[in-house]
Amino acid sequence: MIVNLRDICAMAEQNNMAIASFNVPSFEALRAAIDVAEQTGYPVILSHAEGHEPFAPLDKIGPAMVALAERSSALLCVHLDHCEHLSYMRRALELGFTGAMFDGSFLPYEENVANSQRAAEMCAGFDCGLECELGSMGSREAGQRDEGGTAEESGAIYTDPDQAAEFVASTGTDILACSFGTVHGIYKGEPHLNFDVLTGIRSRVSVPLVMHGGSGVSDEDYAKAIDAGIRKINYYTYGVKYAGEAACGLMDKRRAKSSDAIVYWHDLTSAAYDRLVEDFTHVVKVFANGAQPLA
Ligand code: 13P
């Protein structure tokens, strides 16, 4: 069943939990995310990032995401992640996406506000929930996955709580992506989350808050972030890393037995799918933060 971004985040708010937003730029990831939502009963956000266009074109993956979400028994939002071009956002909305993120975090503040307002007008015309970002994660979702590092190294700028209040009021965004120490990609060392920044934003802003760079964080920090008001957690890099390792591990095992063993493509995609299901199942249960399944 397809759900609006606003409604899925409202469910998270009511239950003091966060919804996993999985980037699904492959059939295996899309299938795994939907299967985990159906098997666990927790809502899930299926995300397509504009930066993944080269290997998952919107006009191919988008209709698949919408059709599979519509016929699923699970509560699923179909969401556009890190969209930097309003023309691209319109294409996703015309396909039936029920959530969209306008990412103006790389723009000067005034331009970020102006473009986020345009995104809000466009989303209103399609009854689509809107996410905007203030502050910066540094490394972009479209960048190399191992660019991540630490928040300092990647040039992250923490969200300013007072500016966040002004930004939400000016743009009318439904949910707010904020920067408080997470980065996209692989962490070098332990991530250091700044919970003072997060609680500062939460005390000034009433819309649900979003954690980007959400994979690679400890289960303890997820729980602390959710208790401090995070309602959507974007998760990609570590899931695909584990899936890649599972596929390569299978190949190594077969080749160790016999150097001329044939490994078929579906052997690799199946190993990746199984590992994604295992990882996503763990993730949605941690993000549920003790809440019972909702479907
Ligand atoms: P990770 O790179 O930590 O998985 O974050 C993904 C993300 O924030 C997508 O928007």
Side-chain angles (χ1 to χ4, degrees):
M1 173 188 328
I2 198 156
V3 183
N4 187 292
L5 180 70
R6 272 189 303 276
D7 298 332
I8 215 163
C9 290
M11 290 174 203
E13 194 73 60
Q14 276 159 16
N15 291 282
N16 189 39
M17 63 183 287
I19 310 292
S21 180
F22 295 123
N23 289 99
V24 291
S26 67
F27 178 65
E28 288 65 44
L30 177 55
R31 181 178 159 219
I34 294 172
D35 288 351
V36 166
E38 288 174 355
Q39 285 157 17
T40 62
Y42 291 113
V44 159
I45 298 169
L46 308 172
S47 277
H48 167 73
E50 183 179 356
H52 294 175
E53 178 69 21
F55 49 91
L58 174 63
D59 64 348
K60 305 286 191 309
I61 198 91
M65 291 164 73
V66 172
L68 292 174
E70 272 170 350
R71 63 198 245 185
S72 170
S73 58
L75 299 163
L76 298 165
C77 168
V78 179
H79 181 67
L80 179 64
D81 188 30
H82 288 289
C83 177
E84 299 182 4
H85 301 95
L86 294 172
S87 55
Y88 194 86
M89 183 175 284
R90 178 171 291 280
R91 284 173 52 201
L93 300 188
E94 283 170 353
L95 288 174
F97 278 44
T98 51
M101 173 195 196
F102 176 73
D103 180 359
S105 60
F106 56 95
L107 297 171
Y109 178 76
E110 299 303 337
E111 268 183 65
N112 187 3
V113 170
N115 281 306
S116 298
Q117 285 170 340
R118 285 190 197 107
E121 280 164 26
M122 196 191 293
C123 284
F126 288 86
D127 192 26
C128 172
L130 177 68
E131 171 181 352
C132 294
E133 178 167 335
L134 184 68
S136 171
M137 310 293 303
S139 54
R140 309 265 275 265
E141 178 49 40
Q144 294 301 313
R145 303 246 66 76
D146 49 7
E147 268 174 7
T150 63
E152 290 72 29
E153 282 168 356
S154 70
I157 302 164
Y158 289 161
T159 305
D160 176 82
D162 290 324
Q163 199 179 42
E166 187 192 296
F167 181 79
V168 169
S170 319
T171 59
T173 189
D174 295 305
I175 63 174
L176 180 71
C178 43
S179 172
F180 59 100
T182 55
V183 294
H184 292 121
I186 298 288
Y187 286 95
K188 287 187 195 134
E190 293 295 304
H192 294 291
L193 277 54
N194 189 326
F195 291 101
D196 291 339
V197 170
L198 181 57
T199 46
I201 301 165
R202 175 73 165 171
S203 68
R204 289 169 184 72
V205 164
S206 57
V207 296
L209 303 178
V210 183
M211 177 200 280
H212 282 250
S215 71
V217 172
S218 69
D219 289 356
E220 293 70 32
D221 277 352
Y222 286 135
K224 275 166 85 175
I226 294 165
D227 286 336
I230 289 292
R231 298 294 167 240
K232 169 176 179 279
I233 301 181
N234 285 26
Y235 189 100
Y236 179 54
T237 302
Y238 281 76
V240 280
K241 174 178 177 284
Y242 301 147
E245 287 165 355
C248 293
L250 178 92
M251 177 120 90
D252 291 347
K253 221 160 90 187
R254 295 261 180 96
R255 294 264 161 92
K257 270 195 201 154
S258 154
S259 61
D260 54 3
I262 296 175
V263 183
Y264 293 101
W265 178 240
H266 59 249
D267 296 328
L268 301 182
T269 57
S270 299
Y273 165 81
D274 290 346
R275 187 65 183 91
L276 286 170
V277 167
E278 184 187 342
D279 186 45
F280 289 179
T281 302
H282 174 76
V283 164
V284 296
K285 287 184 178 169
V286 172
F287 293 1
N289 201 27
Q292 292 303 306
L294 308 188

